[in-house]
Amino acid sequence: MLYFEARPQTLFRCAGGVGPAASRPQTKKFLEGGFIAERNFRQSDRVRVNERIRAREIRVIDEDGGQLGVMQPFEAMKLARERGLDLVEISPTADPPVCKITDYGKYLYQLNKKAHEQRKSSRASQLKEVKFRPATAEHDYQVRKNQIIRFLGEGHKVRAMIFHRGREMAHQEVGRAKMNRLLVEIGDQGQIETMPRMEGNVLVALLAPKKGVPVAKPAGQTASSAQQSQ
């Protein structure tokens, strides 16, 4: 029978026998086809550096991006150590793999910073939904339209939706007229990414921020920045 390695000092049972978990690497393990395999999600363990580079030949670039040619890893490591730097594998899937002579700590910092910026960017842009009815009153229509304009100004995409119920499905031209009016009045605030179409009983159009228009900060962020400046 196979067991997971739970925590240090617990017994580890597998085909090879039983032994203390502390004698094995303290990384997470999972069952895969009857064997226990290691999985480690730390960024530093996914990047090969110095002696961990396994390729027979590598293409080497220096810290300034200059091409040093194809050589064996031990030759590249010798060059890196002469400069007080590390040999870092930056493109393992290339043929041959590409390695860079650089400061390993600085490389990891830049890699993590780039990943953080990408996550921040993906969180900043979201898909918003604003719902109407064919018989939505004028005041409510204006409120929802202004919501769409605000979302577009903050850099979000907007899914404008007009729901039809019961007998309203027999008069879809009413909902379509309201949608066309909305798209005209949005004007320069956004662009139509997907033209209006019926999806079941819902008329849907996808709007996106207009290219070249600066993204406005949400009202909460603007207020907080104003208080900090005071």
Side-chain angles (χ1 to χ4, degrees), residues 85-156:
L85 298 172
D86 302 294
L87 183 67
V88 181
E89 189 178 55
I90 62 173
S91 184
T93 58
D95 186 22
V98 179
C99 297
K100 183 175 183 179
I101 295 175
T102 186
D103 182 276
Y104 182 48
K106 183 179 178 181
Y107 175 78
L108 280 182
Y109 170 76
Q110 292 173 342
L111 209 61
N112 291 328
K113 184 178 179 180
K114 184 178 179 181
H116 175 73
E117 291 297 328
Q118 289 175 342
R119 290 193 299 269
K120 184 178 177 181
S121 176
S122 64
R123 287 196 301 266
S125 179
Q126 301 174 1
L127 178 62
K128 303 289 187 177
E129 291 186 349
V130 179
K131 302 175 182 179
F132 298 82
R133 292 285 305 280
T136 296
E138 180 63 22
H139 173 73
D140 293 334
Y141 168 84
Q142 294 295 337
V143 170
R144 287 166 172 76
K145 182 187 76 173
N146 290 334
Q147 264 188 333
I148 293 175
I149 293 174
R150 178 167 59 84
F151 289 149
L152 292 172
E154 292 172 358
H156 306 298

Side-chain angles (χ1 to χ4, degrees), residues 6 18 82 97 121 123 135 150 156 166 174 177 181 184 193 202 210:
V18 179
E82 287 174 354
S121 176
R123 287 196 301 266
R150 178 167 59 84
H156 306 298
V174 177
R181 175 191 171 188
V184 170
E193 190 163 292
V202 185
K210 201 154 194 176

Side-chain angles (χ1 to χ4, degrees), residues 12 18 23 35 57 60 79-80 82 84 125 134 147 158 162 192 203:
F12 180 89
V18 179
S23 64
F35 298 94
E57 286 188 332
V60 184
L79 290 175
E82 287 174 354
S125 179
Q147 264 188 333
V158 180
I162 298 183
I192 303 172
L203 181 63

Side-chain angles (χ1 to χ4, degrees), residues 197-213:
R197 67 170 183 266
M198 288 298 295
E199 296 182 0
N201 67 330
V202 185
L203 181 63
V204 179
L206 183 61
L207 308 174
K210 201 154 194 176
K211 295 179 180 178
V213 177

